[in-house]
Each structure stands twice: as structure tokens, then as C-alpha cells.
């Protein structure tokens, strides 16, 4: 693995490093308009940033209060080295600790197989977001059904 550590925290703590990755991946690489990349949800999310052995940010993601995971991005030069998996696992674990019963995300179509490996299942039809084809996916974390014996 090419990451040394993952830090979770608030937007005020991680904004600079998260935006370095998000701007490189979403705005520069995928041509997402800058005004669509940032939103008001950042300030209420739990953010995760992965750092390499040189303490350079190489990946990021966020967990919204309603259980949505979003803004998952890994620097192009270090993809396929487990960084995205580590960030996703960190955010799923944070949702479990917080008591969320499920996590939901809008996956870019080319990333659907990645999320399936973690147990996410496709929900609904494909849709366009920022000019990119997406699918909503869900992972059930715990069943709230109460059984009496």
C-alpha cells in the first residue's frame, strides 16, 4: 500500500488537503465545473484524507450526516494501490460507530465494480451528475429488526 496514514476530521481541519485531491481529480481530470465540486455539506461532514510516506495527500472522501459517502477521489499517480479501499473502509467504519444502519453513495459508472467488492448494491437507474454517468449504491450496515425469542 502506498499510503502511510489516513486522518479523519472536520472540514476546517482537512479542507486544504482534501481540496488538493478533489481539484486535481474532479475539476482538472474529469472536467467537473468548480462550482459543482464544492457545496455547503462539506462543513457538516466527516472527512478522510490519505497521506503517502512523504506526508503528501493522495486521497480523500467524506461521510455526510445522513449516511451518504461522497467526494471519493484518489490521485491518478497512485490509483490501484489500495488507497481508495482504505478511505472507503475508514468511512464505513465511522458510519458503523456512529450507529448508521446503511451507507449510500452515487458511484461513477466506471467505479461500480470497486464498490461492489465492499458489498454495495445498485439501486435505481443510471443518472447524470456533473456530466458523468452515475448509479446510486447502498450498503446495509446493520439490521434494525428486533426479534423476540
Amino acid at each position: 500500500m502506498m499510503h502511510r496514514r489516513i486522518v479523519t476530521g472536520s472540514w476546517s481541519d482537512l479542507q486544504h488537503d482534501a481540496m488538493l485531491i478533489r481539484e486535481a481529480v474532479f475539476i482538472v481530470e474529469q472536467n467537473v465545473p468548480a462550482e459543482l465540486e464544492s457545496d455547503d455539506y462539506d462543513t457538516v461532514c466527516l472527512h478522510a484524507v490519505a497521506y503517502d510516506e512523504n506526508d503528501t495527500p493522495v486521497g480523500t472522501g467524506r461521510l455526510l450526516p445522513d449516511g451518504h459517502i461522497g467526494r471519493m477521489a484518489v490521485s491518478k499517480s497512485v490509483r490501484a494501490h489500495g488507497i481508495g479501499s482504505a478511505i472507503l473502509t475508514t468511512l464505513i467504519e465511522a458510519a458503523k460507530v456512529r450507529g448508521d444502519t446503511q451507507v449510500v453513495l452515487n458511484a461513477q459508472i466506471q467505479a461500480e465494480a470497486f464498490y461492489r467488492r465492499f458489498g454495495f448494491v445498485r439501486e435505481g437507474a443510471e443518472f447524470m451528475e456533473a456530466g458523468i454517468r452515475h448509479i446510486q449504491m447502498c450498503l446495509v450496515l446493520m439490521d434494525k429488526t428486533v426479534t423476540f425469542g
Side-chain angles (χ1 to χ4, degrees), residues 23-139:
E23 287 173 358
V25 172
F26 297 127
I27 298 171
V28 175
E29 186 182 331
Q30 296 182 348
N31 296 310
V32 171
E35 62 273 12
L36 295 181
E37 200 295 310
S38 293
D39 61 31
D40 294 336
Y41 292 115
D42 276 324
T43 59
V44 297
C45 288
L46 174 71
H47 294 268
V49 175
Y51 296 88
D52 68 11
E53 60 278 352
N54 299 315
D55 228 25
T56 302
V58 292
T60 189
R62 71 181 189 182
L63 176 64
L64 283 84
D66 67 359
H68 272 75
I69 290 175
R71 300 304 197 268
M72 289 280 300
V74 175
S75 297
K76 190 172 191 173
S77 62
V78 295
R79 288 190 194 137
H81 289 95
I83 296 166
S85 296
I87 292 167
L88 184 60
T89 300
T90 297
L91 294 174
I92 290 169
E93 287 304 311
K96 286 179 183 177
V97 167
R98 172 169 96 174
D100 291 359
T101 57
Q102 68 177 12
V103 287
V104 178
L105 52 81
N106 294 337
Q108 292 184 7
I109 292 299
Q110 75 268 13
E112 182 179 356
F114 168 78
Y115 293 111
R116 273 189 210 274
R117 291 198 303 268
F118 291 86
F120 282 86
V121 295
R122 180 186 267 245
E123 292 188 334
E126 291 182 15
F127 60 93
M128 295 297 284
E129 186 172 49
I132 300 168
R133 290 173 45 228
H134 284 73
I135 188 72
Q136 184 170 329
M137 301 184 80
C138 180
L139 174 66

Side-chain angles (χ1 to χ4, degrees), residues 5 7-19 42-49 51 57 60:
R5 66 189 174 105
V7 175
T8 58
S10 68
W11 186 237
S12 59
D13 291 338
L14 296 175
Q15 175 179 4
H16 177 267
D17 292 347
M19 283 307 296
D42 276 324
T43 59
V44 297
C45 288
L46 174 71
H47 294 268
V49 175
Y51 296 88
T60 189

